[in-house]
Amino acid sequence: MKTVQVLDKTFVEYIQYSEICNRVKAVSAKMEADLAGSKPLFIIMLNGAFMFAAELMKVYNAPAELSFIKYTSYDGTSSTGEVKQLLGLANDVEGRDVVIVEDIVESGLTMHCLLELLRERKAKSVRLAVLLFKPNCLKYDDVHIDYPVFTISDEFIVGFGLDYNGYGRNFKDIYKIK
């Protein structure tokens, strides 16, 4: 099994790029069917979701607008319990179908905060597309994952956009901590 070293931690291969691409295509097809006739706004969460969003947009074959925002709640391998907005939402979402594209949902704190903002700004609908979902960690009832690419257990992950202290995002495969 392939391993990688990221700073002081060792990670083992968990999900290969080819499997990620296959699953993203399937999620894209479901989105296209669900959003037929709509011109959704895809809100991509930086930094972690950039690779997922790139793969998704390559195979999403319908009109869509993209926007990027950046929130953070992590330090090292654990959540701080606080969400900080580093790059806010500049788009008008009132009356629009919105798809949030996120790398990973664990407790759901960041999504909970963003959902509140989108409700306040009167989005017509909000859907969540998530590369990795940890259902056993979810703490917020209003966070519903419409498009989970993978459902995983509570393990620390790097690769395909996810990092450990800023490193490991560039790996095309996904690795879990050893």
Side-chain angles (χ1 to χ4, degrees):
M1 184 169 284
K2 195 161 102 178
T3 64
V4 294
Q5 186 73 28
V6 180
L7 301 174
D8 61 334
K9 307 267 186 248
T10 302
F11 295 83
V12 295
E13 189 176 61
Y14 186 50
I15 305 170
Q16 293 183 338
Y17 177 68
S18 59
E19 187 178 355
I20 296 167
C21 290
N22 288 336
R23 293 274 192 93
V24 169
K25 278 184 192 175
V27 163
S28 175
K30 182 167 178 14
M31 280 182 188
E32 286 178 37
D34 291 351
L35 295 163
S38 176
K39 293 179 182 156
L41 170 64
F42 283 80
I43 298 176
I44 293 105
M45 300 292 292
L46 296 175
N47 289 335
F50 80 100
M51 287 180 78
F52 171 36
E55 287 300 324
L56 180 62
M57 292 299 102
K58 287 178 195 175
V59 296
Y60 186 81
N61 295 307
E65 183 181 0
L66 306 180
S67 186
F68 299 86
I69 64 174
K70 186 173 182 177
Y71 286 19
T72 186
S73 65
Y74 259 76
D75 183 28
T77 61
S78 59
S79 175
T80 63
E82 268 182 54
V83 175
K84 293 178 187 170
Q85 179 181 295
L86 304 176
L87 176 65
L89 180 63
N91 302 69
D92 181 13
V93 299
E94 186 171 346
R96 300 225 27 212
D97 293 312
V98 174
V99 178
I100 301 169
V101 180
E102 176 65 300
D103 58 351
I104 191 165
V105 169
E106 295 179 57
S107 74
L109 175 61
T110 303
M111 289 300 100
H112 171 74
C113 293
L114 184 53
L115 288 168
E116 282 185 350
L117 174 69
L118 293 171
R119 280 191 286 272
E120 286 171 12
R121 293 192 180 183
K122 299 180 180 149
K124 177 182 172 185
S125 71
V126 180
R127 292 172 173 89
L128 299 178
V130 177
L131 179 64
L132 301 166
F133 175 45
K134 296 181 178 183
N136 296 334
C137 300
L138 190 62
K139 295 179 181 172
Y140 293 87
D141 293 335
D142 65 333
V143 177
H144 171 74
I145 311 303
D146 301 278
Y147 307 107
V149 178
F150 295 96
T151 299
I152 64 171
S153 60
D154 187 18
E155 299 173 279
F156 191 79
I157 303 295
V158 298
F160 204 72
L162 292 100
D163 74 304
Y164 169 53
N165 282 344
Y167 293 89
R169 290 187 195 281
N170 58 306
F171 300 132
K172 70 177 187 172
D173 301 310
I174 295 173
Y175 295 83
K176 65 181 178 178
I177 201 162
K178 188 173 178 179

